[in-house]
Amino acid sequence: KKIIIIGGVAGGASTAARLRRLDEKAEIIMFERDEFISFANCGLPYYIGERIKERDRLFVQTPEAMKARFHIDVRIHSEVIHIDTDKKVVRVNSKLRGIYEESYDYLVLSPGAKAIKPNIPGIESSKILTLRNIPDTDRIKSYVDQKDVKNAVVIGGGFIGVEMVENLRERGLNVTLVEAAPHILAPFDSDMAVIPEKELMDNGVRLILGDGVKAFSETGDQIEITLNSDTKLRADIVILAIGVLPDTTFLKESGIEVGARGHIIVNERMQTNKEGVYAVGDAVEVTDYVTKLKTAIPLAGPANKQGRIAADNIAGRNSSYKGTQGTSILKVFGLTAASTGANERTLLKAGIPYKTITIHPVSHASYYPGAVPITLKLIFHEDGRILGAQGVGYDGVDKRIDVIATVIRLGGTVEDLTELELSYAPPFSSAKDPVNMAGYVAQ
Ligand code: FAD
């Protein structure tokens, strides 16, 4: 068997490793356009903020280690520019070897997603930076390392935007966050998002909501940002983090089916419409686990799981991906914000009736030092099925959301939440855990 993998990071690397475990003999070639494979995208903001101090820590695997450990033919600086799915051949543009072709029996696409750069005046300024990979990180960090860089504007209040805001503040910059929507962090409802918004402001961040960017223009050493409201901001550096689009333009003539925004269409086995071609990660369309609608959710956990499933199927097993529920978590200075499943907005859009409750339990027994309140919102169907949850607080949010995420995955109800027997001693929880409490209140 000869397997070609396109993309060497989350989805690509986990496909390769799993394939090798299942098949000692297969020939596995991995093409990566950039210099690096299997790096920790999720750690990049924290390296810029110098919480992660050594750059080497960002590399989970190197091409050499991947070759030595898994016997995978890793070819970096090699961009796949064309696929002929009838002849089963890819065309590669390699820095080292020029343009050449390579045949495959199976092909796995994991090209990921790229930062959206809207077509607005001044967007090409070198002071406007996006963050996806190691070269982007080096570029941003070398800017921030300069002593005279003092003011940053971050555009986009999603996960990457907020993580960059925090890390630029950690480096001592004055930071303004601009968000076009009425609130930051789209997975949260507005009643929950106000808490991380306050945390940002308490930590000296200037927050501008409900206002998008109209134009950029360079003025001497700085860049001027004009918002739709005609508010003008000045900065030494702009981080643009307004979302991502699948990196799939190279599939244009391949006949591989993509959706309206370019996401690759796959079935439950992660197979595309073309024989022997699989696709995983940020570039694919998935089923929302709760609403059952088609969507795209660019997260590392799903990319890794999908890679494993594609590898299983190529190796002759029968694995299927049941959907993404969007469980995610974010550190906002001292605060944790986490969510899973659907929020009110997605349910309204899907026409699914729901009820909500919000409770404010403490993170552990209130008589034991250090207990702090959690704001926990539960969203559930009239029949009791849990549809989503959001949690915000200074301690203990992660485990509550993870427990509820598990219950959602197993099709559980508010009744189930009341019955869960969770670990308890005063430093950790209460005899009635916040998750039980959410169940009681919802019942
Ligand atoms: P990628 O990791 O983007 O890898 C795709 C690779 O394919 C790229 O290296 C690209 O160069 C290569 N490629 C593309 N086209 C070609 C081609 N034609 N030929 C050859 N190579 C090609 N997720 C979380 O769950 N939690 C987090 O905390 C989190 N933090 C993040 C922070 C940042 C700054 C970023 C950028 C992402 C973060 N994510 C996080 C998202 C997570 O990193 C992605 O979901 C995950 O990396 C997707 O994996 P992928 O394999 O689909 O794509």
Side-chain angles (χ1 to χ4, degrees):
K1 254 185 231 167
K2 183 173 174 187
I3 302 145
I4 286 182
I5 299 171
I6 302 177
V9 192
S14 48
T15 307
R18 176 72 173 160
L19 269 171
R20 177 54 77 223
R21 279 191 202 105
L22 296 174
D23 187 340
E24 282 181 14
K25 295 204 186 75
E27 181 183 359
I28 306 171
I29 304 173
M30 179 193 275
F31 290 112
E32 170 53 55
R33 182 174 57 201
D34 291 333
E35 181 184 345
F36 307 99
I37 61 154
S38 201
F39 60 87
N41 327 42
C42 312
L44 302 178
Y46 299 98
Y47 170 68
I48 294 167
E50 295 189 336
R51 169 135 316 214
I52 299 171
K53 295 221 160 48
E54 295 151 50
R55 188 170 175 277
D56 278 354
R57 306 282 296 192
L58 299 172
F59 301 105
V60 184
Q61 280 282 355
T62 60
E64 297 73 32
M66 197 90 182
K67 265 179 209 174
R69 186 159 168 222
F70 295 104
H71 189 51
I72 286 161
D73 182 354
V74 180
R75 302 188 193 170
I76 54 169
H77 293 305
S78 300
E79 180 174 12
V80 174
I81 49 174
H82 185 261
I83 303 172
D84 186 329
T85 52
D86 295 328
K87 288 196 200 140
K88 293 196 161 185
V89 163
V90 301
R91 192 180 308 145
V92 185
N93 187 359
S94 154
K95 202 170 158 185
L96 206 71
R97 296 171 57 182
I99 293 181
Y100 65 96
E101 294 196 333
E102 195 72 63
S103 67
Y104 65 82
D105 298 315
Y106 293 95
L107 178 64
V108 182
L109 313 170
S110 189
K114 57 184 177 214
I116 295 175
K117 269 193 148 187
N119 190 13
I120 47 179
I123 190 77
E124 292 310 331
S125 163
S126 61
K127 292 186 167 56
I128 304 171
L129 301 163
T130 57
L131 177 61
R132 174 181 183 186
N133 52 29
I134 301 284
D136 296 341
T137 307
D138 290 340
R139 219 170 289 133
I140 296 174
K141 189 158 188 304
S142 67
Y143 249 99
V144 176
D145 288 346
Q146 290 168 30
K147 289 218 161 32
D148 51 349
V149 170
K150 293 205 166 65
N151 299 296
V153 169
V154 175
I155 298 164
F159 287 74
I160 294 176
V162 172
E163 287 180 353
M164 280 310 302
V165 165
E166 176 181 328
N167 282 289
L168 293 173
R169 274 305 283 156
E170 294 289 341
R171 295 294 309 274
L173 271 66
N174 303 314
V175 186
T176 302
L177 174 62
V178 178
E179 167 59 58
H183 67 81
I184 63 165
L185 298 173
F188 293 82
D189 293 316
S190 50
D191 53 340
M192 297 297 285
V194 290
I195 307 168
E197 284 168 2
K198 180 171 182 304
E199 182 75 9
L200 289 176
M201 291 187 285
D202 288 350
N203 281 279
V205 176
R206 180 179 173 201
L207 192 58
I208 300 177
L209 298 172
D211 208 351
V213 178
K214 191 154 74 180
F216 297 101
S217 61
E218 286 200 26
T219 52
D221 282 347
Q222 287 200 312
I223 179 160
E224 188 174 75
I225 304 115
T226 308
L227 304 183
N228 290 331
S229 63
D230 282 330
T231 305
K232 289 190 193 308
L233 306 169
R234 286 225 172 170
D236 302 305
I237 175 179
V238 170
I239 306 289
L240 188 67
I242 57 169
V244 294
L245 276 174
D247 204 344
T248 52
T249 37
F250 72 108
L251 299 179
K252 240 182 202 155
E253 291 156 17
S254 68
I256 295 168
E257 198 188 343
V258 298
R261 297 177 70 220
H263 294 96
I264 306 165
I265 312 288
V266 289
N267 63 17
E268 275 206 346
R269 292 166 54 83
M270 306 315 296
Q271 264 170 325
T272 69
N273 62 321
K274 291 289 177 183
E275 204 254 307
V277 183
Y278 292 73
V280 302
D282 288 0
V284 304
E285 193 176 276
V286 293
T287 302
D288 181 312
Y289 191 77
V290 173
T291 64
K292 305 297 175 208
L293 297 174
K294 292 293 175 195
T295 183
I297 301 178
L299 287 172
N304 279 284
K305 289 183 185 70
Q306 294 160 9
R308 189 182 164 94
I309 288 166
D312 278 358
N313 290 324
I314 290 169
R317 295 189 169 206
N318 192 8
S319 282
S320 60
Y321 186 71
K322 313 247 168 19
T324 301
Q325 78 194 63
T327 307
S328 48
I329 188 159
L330 177 73
K331 174 178 174 309
V332 190
F333 295 96
L335 197 72
T336 306
S339 76
T340 184
N343 61 20
E344 292 197 52
R345 199 170 47 256
T346 44
L347 291 169
L348 282 173
K349 232 184 197 145
I352 298 172
Y354 64 87
K355 294 180 182 169
T356 74
I357 57 114
T358 302
I359 57 171
H360 303 275
V362 272
S363 52
H364 60 251
S366 52
Y367 55 80
Y368 186 89
V372 284
I374 293 174
T375 303
L376 187 60
K377 175 171 179 175
L378 188 72
I379 307 178
F380 51 101
H381 197 271
E382 280 165 358
D383 65 11
R385 204 159 27 96
I386 299 161
L387 303 171
Q390 298 160 41
V392 180
Y394 291 93
D395 188 33
V397 169
D398 49 349
K399 73 169 169 174
R400 274 60 191 226
I401 291 298
D402 278 345
V403 168
I404 299 174
T406 311
V407 174
I408 292 177
R409 188 51 62 158
L410 300 176
T413 63
V414 291
E415 193 86 23
D416 293 318
L417 294 190
T418 67
E419 290 174 13
L420 290 177
E421 189 183 320
L422 301 169
S423 56
Y424 161 62
F428 303 101
S429 180
S430 304
K432 287 182 208 150
D433 188 88
V435 173
N436 299 135
M437 288 304 299
Y440 292 136
V441 175
Q443 236 178 357

